[in-house]
């Protein structure tokens, strides 16, 4: 913890979070893009991205001033919607001027898209990744100005600056997930609705119903809505108190200090849970990238 922690945090930040700088409010972001002096300012080299999937037209109609658009289709690949290869991810970041020491601020119309990108930036090794709490909807609800039109093209970076990826431990695949369950020394946390977790519904037209035997339910949102994270969010889309999220995880044996891999259907909801656990300072956390989609299509080893 920082010296003078409670005294040094402005009302724009959350005192219940260890990484309090990384969750920003619309008011803080509005001050930053207006050139005002803000608490916990980013590095001189910072980028603002709206993350979305196939929503470039909506971005051009209205977006946070100074933002560029980052489509998640660039960072995921068929057939399972897992992340692209490391070299492809690196090329995408460098093309957008992102190095390890670039502050990257993210938001989305669906903030799960921003969380998906945030997780992969942390995996890559970007040290200062920040998320707009409540996303674009909360920006608009606060009456903040929007810009129109395409974003200007950023200057590309020539190198990332450190070994890539810097945090491979933040992402696991199916063999590692199976090994975790077999050893019994970690938890697979299912960030899915109750109906998905109990196998009563799939949530996706292209994924079979069911869930991973031995996984623990980490909750998500309303049945029938794979974009809902109401168990984690207030009515305005902002993050619930950290203690409340930790308590609902503890009910199902998801505890800080125990190696935990979050997963969902294809990665978005799991990435939000990961990011919140990361904000809370949980150690030994990761995202199981393939999630139920890959698990359901992969025969057991042997």
């Amino acid at each position: 913890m920082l010296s003078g922690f409670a005294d040094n945090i402005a009302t724009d930040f959350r005192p219940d979070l260890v990484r309090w700088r990384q969750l920003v409010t619309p008011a803080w972001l509005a001050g930053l893009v207006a050139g005002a002096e803000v608490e916990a300012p980013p590095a001189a080299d910072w980028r603002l991205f709206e993350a979305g999937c196939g929503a470039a037209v909506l971005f051009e109609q209205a977006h946070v001033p100074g933002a560029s658009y980052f489509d998640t289709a660039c960072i995921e690949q068929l057939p399972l919607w897992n992340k692209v290869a490391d070299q492809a991810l690196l090329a995408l970041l460098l093309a957008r001027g992102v190095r390890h020491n670039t502050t990257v601020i993210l938001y989305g119309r669906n903030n799960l898209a921003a969380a998906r990108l945030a997780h992969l930036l942390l995996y890559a090794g970007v040290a200062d990744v920040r998320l707009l709490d409540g996303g674009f909807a909360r920006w608009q609800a606060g009456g903040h100005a929007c810009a129109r039109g395409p974003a200007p093209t950023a200057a590309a970076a020539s190198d990332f600056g450190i070994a890539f990826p810097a945090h491979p431990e933040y992402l696991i695949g199916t063999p590692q997930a199976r090994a975790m369950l077999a050893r019994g020394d970690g938890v697979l946390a299912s960030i899915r609705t109750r109906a998905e977790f109990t196998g009563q519904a799939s949530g996706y037209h292209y994924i079979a119903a069911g869930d991973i035997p031995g996984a623990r339910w980490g909750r998500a949102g309303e049945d029938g809505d794979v974009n809902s994270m109401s168990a984690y969010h207030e009515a305005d889309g902002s993050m619930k108190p950290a203690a409340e999220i930790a308590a609902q995880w503890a009910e199902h044996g998801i505890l800080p200090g125990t190696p935990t891999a979050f997963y969902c259907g294809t990665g978005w909801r799991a990435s939000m849970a990961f990011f919140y656990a990361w904000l809370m300072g949980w150690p030994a956390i990761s995202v199981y990238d393939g999630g139920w989609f890959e698990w359901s299509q992969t025969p057991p080893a042997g």
Side-chain angles (χ1 to χ4, degrees):
M1 301 291 282
L2 297 177
S3 174
F5 178 77
D7 294 333
N8 290 336
I9 300 178
T11 55
D12 276 340
F13 291 97
R14 294 275 298 263
D16 59 333
L17 298 176
V18 173
R19 293 185 168 100
W20 49 271
R21 291 180 178 85
Q22 315 313 130
L23 191 69
V24 304
T25 65
W28 181 91
L29 183 56
L32 179 68
V33 299
E37 185 175 336
V38 296
E39 183 77 6
D45 180 25
W46 61 274
R47 299 285 188 276
L48 172 63
F49 295 110
E50 176 179 318
C53 184
V57 171
L58 294 176
F59 172 85
E60 293 190 6
Q61 291 173 355
H63 56 263
V64 177
S68 296
Y69 179 69
F70 203 130
D71 201 302
T72 59
C74 296
I75 59 173
E76 299 176 321
Q77 60 184 341
L78 293 173
L80 298 173
W81 301 108
N82 287 354
K83 80 163 188 69
V84 296
D86 285 345
Q87 286 305 305
L89 179 61
L90 174 60
L92 288 167
L93 300 184
L94 294 181
R96 290 162 174 79
V98 175
R99 304 180 76 249
H100 77 283
N101 57 355
T102 305
T103 296
V104 179
I105 305 164
L106 304 169
Y107 74 92
R109 292 162 201 273
N110 178 348
N111 233 23
L112 296 180
R116 175 65 160 157
L117 180 54
H119 167 254
L120 291 183
L121 287 168
L122 292 171
Y123 163 85
V126 178
D128 189 3
V129 179
R130 308 192 189 197
L131 183 71
L132 176 60
D133 197 17
F136 189 57
R138 197 159 171 239
W139 173 271
Q140 289 183 304
H144 300 291
C146 292
R148 294 178 59 88
T153 302
S158 59
D159 66 88
F160 194 65
I162 57 173
F164 188 98
H167 290 290
E169 73 277 11
Y170 284 166
L171 186 145
I172 68 169
T174 296
Q176 294 163 293
R178 291 191 185 280
M180 178 182 284
L181 285 178
R183 291 192 307 268
D185 61 354
V187 169
L188 288 184
S190 177
I191 310 302
R192 306 179 72 201
T193 66
R194 181 183 290 276
E196 289 173 278
F197 181 69
T198 58
Q200 298 174 17
S202 163
Y204 307 80
H205 68 83
Y206 53 90
I207 303 179
D211 212 333
I212 298 174
R216 301 182 187 182
W217 188 40
R219 303 191 185 185
E222 307 306 317
D223 282 343
D225 185 357
V226 297
N227 290 307
S228 171
M229 286 285 279
S230 58
Y232 293 77
H233 292 146
E234 306 288 6
D236 65 354
S238 61
M239 179 186 174
K240 284 185 175 180
E244 187 173 334
I245 293 173
Q248 69 186 19
W249 282 340
E251 287 179 20
H252 299 280
I254 303 168
L255 302 167
T258 300
T260 301
F262 300 98
Y263 74 92
C264 54
T266 61
W268 285 27
R269 289 174 291 178
S271 294
M272 182 66 81
F274 170 93
F275 193 79
Y276 287 165
W278 181 77
L279 291 178
M280 292 154 62
W282 280 36
I285 55 173
S286 61
V287 169
Y288 167 30
D289 195 26
W292 170 242
F293 191 18
E294 182 171 325
W295 184 283
S296 68
Q297 298 189 44
T298 307

